[in-house]
Amino acid sequence: MTQSTPPGGPPPSLPGVARTGSSRTAAGPEPGIVAEHVSRAFGSVQAVHDLSFTAPRGQVTALVGPNGCGKSTLMLMLASLLAPDAGRVLVGGIDPAQDSPAVRSLVGWMPDQFGAWDSLRVAEVLEVMGRAYFMPWEQLRPRVQELLQLMDLVSLAQQPAHVLSRGQKQRLGLARALVHRPQVLILDEPASGLDPASRRRLLTVVRSLAADGVTVLVSSHILSELEEMADHVVLMDSGRVVDASSVRDLARRPQQWRVESLDDHALGQALDALQVRHRGVRSARMSPSGHAEVLVQLPDEATAARLLAALAAQDAQVVGFGPATGRLEAAYLASGAAQREGAL
């Protein structure tokens, strides 16, 4: 997959998000994650089948697909918690089948369900994880305080972890994954249960980590937030990769655009004069926006820009113009995964 600049450019470094000593340029072309013809079955169920993809260092790769497509199984293999039946994976250039401890020292793993020890408080969870990575106490203690501050958990530091809400556990799960300053971060549904402010914090943390050279692989069904976060997307279905692209390149793919106008008659006349195909203009009375609306299929963003200029020249009274869905959602909905029975 081609390299692309992260949305909005690299953010400033955050307290608690450590510099790794490598940048996107210094890290070189070697991918942070490589999967080569990987397969994994559970009895008669083929969870992952002949799957190959790469995730660049210092960038965020989104893993998208319907429930049951093999995303979590793939992530478990990358985290060295499952072994592939065939093929191989490389994490930071290391095969987990050959050196699992080395991979685990590189990887921060956040599963979709947080398992909390009933007897431990929030700060103690982070301390135990740090000690599991053999972090010296003089390094671990300030690191725990950094992460509590970073994930807005300071007021909960002495609360039992098992009483936290779903969103609070997600924030603690990310802090736990970051405790040893990993070079590869694997996140399975990290935004689940988070409020809007916490989701914005998650986005900022992940983008800052990528800017500092960390390889990030993230799976989520919240595609609008993935689009803000990701540089690349890998679409999965039935255990296979069915599409892969940079988010930037998705702008050059066909998708629907929504046009809103103050006058349904003026909009319809302008579209007819420009010979733009559509399925009819919805009147303002029937539209949730309170404006006349129409959906048009366009091949790319350059064509959309030309259409907007032409509609303005035709006095179509346009007050809204933009993609009907996000780039990731449009790519997913155009794939066979979304059309398959049972996918919705």
Side-chain angles (χ1 to χ4, degrees):
M1 292 182 286
T2 56
Q3 301 275 339
S4 65
T5 303
S13 182
L14 295 175
V17 179
R19 295 280 178 185
T20 62
S22 63
S23 67
R24 219 165 278 164
T25 301
E30 182 186 353
I33 294 173
V34 177
E36 298 175 337
H37 304 289
V38 175
S39 295
R40 172 72 196 208
F42 299 94
S44 61
V45 177
Q46 191 71 45
V48 175
H49 183 66
D50 194 29
L51 179 147
S52 298
F53 85 102
T54 62
R57 293 182 189 233
Q59 298 192 24
V60 181
T61 299
L63 197 58
V64 176
N67 293 328
C69 73
K71 299 189 300 296
S72 293
T73 299
L74 172 61
M75 289 183 157
L76 287 169
M77 289 190 284
L78 295 173
S80 81
L81 300 176
L82 278 178
D85 297 329
R88 70 167 185 166
V89 298
L90 297 175
V91 180
I94 303 172
D95 186 342
Q98 302 298 320
D99 194 347
S100 178
V103 169
R104 294 185 186 189
S105 71
L106 295 176
V107 171
W109 161 240
M110 181 181 173
D112 61 344
Q113 294 289 333
F114 179 85
W117 296 285
D118 288 352
S119 60
L120 295 185
R121 296 175 178 146
V122 167
E124 291 172 335
V125 169
L126 300 180
E127 291 168 2
V128 168
M129 289 303 300
R131 296 300 288 174
Y133 285 103
F134 305 104
M135 293 180 66
W137 180 247
E138 60 270 18
Q139 296 178 16
L140 177 57
R141 188 170 184 176
R143 180 61 174 163
V144 168
Q145 294 305 311
E146 287 175 353
L147 291 171
L148 291 173
Q149 184 71 39
L150 179 69
M151 299 313 301
D152 194 23
L153 293 169
V154 173
S155 63
L156 301 170
Q158 300 306 314
Q159 292 295 316
H162 71 276
V163 305
L164 300 183
S165 69
R166 166 73 171 170
Q168 290 166 344
K169 287 181 178 179
Q170 290 296 95
R171 282 151 47 200
L172 178 56
L174 180 55
R176 185 175 67 174
L178 294 175
V179 71
H180 60 301
R181 306 184 192 276
Q183 296 178 30
V184 177
L185 187 61
I186 301 174
L187 308 175
D188 194 357
E189 297 290 345
S192 177
L194 296 184
D195 59 53
S198 295
R199 288 179 177 173
R200 180 55 52 180
R201 182 182 294 262
L202 170 68
L203 169 65
T204 304
V205 169
V206 168
R207 287 297 336 161
S208 182
L209 287 164
D212 287 342
V214 176
T215 304
V216 183
L217 181 68
V218 56
S219 170
S220 177
H221 292 294
I222 307 173
L223 300 187
S224 59
E225 292 180 1
L226 272 187
E227 185 167 332
E228 288 187 75
M229 188 184 300
D231 302 287
H232 303 273
V233 58
V234 174
L235 291 174
M236 285 184 63
D237 188 32
S238 301
R240 302 174 184 266
V241 171
V242 295
D243 193 6
S245 173
S246 71
V247 173
R248 173 179 290 178
D249 286 345
L250 292 179
R252 292 191 279 270
R253 295 189 180 187
Q255 70 177 102
Q256 282 193 325
W257 288 67
R258 176 178 287 106
V259 186
E260 298 181 18
S261 169
L262 295 175
D263 188 309
D264 54 349
H265 182 69
L267 178 57
Q269 276 194 327
L271 291 170
D272 291 342
L274 296 170
Q275 299 183 346
V276 176
R277 293 183 179 181
H278 60 90
R279 295 185 177 181
V281 176
R282 179 186 292 184
S283 69
R285 290 182 292 103
M286 303 295 294
S287 168
S289 68
H291 300 134
E293 288 186 0
V294 67
L295 294 176
V296 294
Q297 185 76 15
L298 300 176
D300 51 42
E301 288 186 342
T303 304
R306 291 194 297 271
L307 175 59
L308 178 58
L311 288 172
Q314 291 284 334
D315 195 24
Q317 300 187 45
V318 174
V319 293
F321 188 93
T325 63
R327 295 176 186 178
L328 292 191
E329 186 174 350
Y332 175 69
L333 292 176
S335 71
Q339 308 304 320
R340 182 169 42 79
E341 183 178 357
L344 299 177

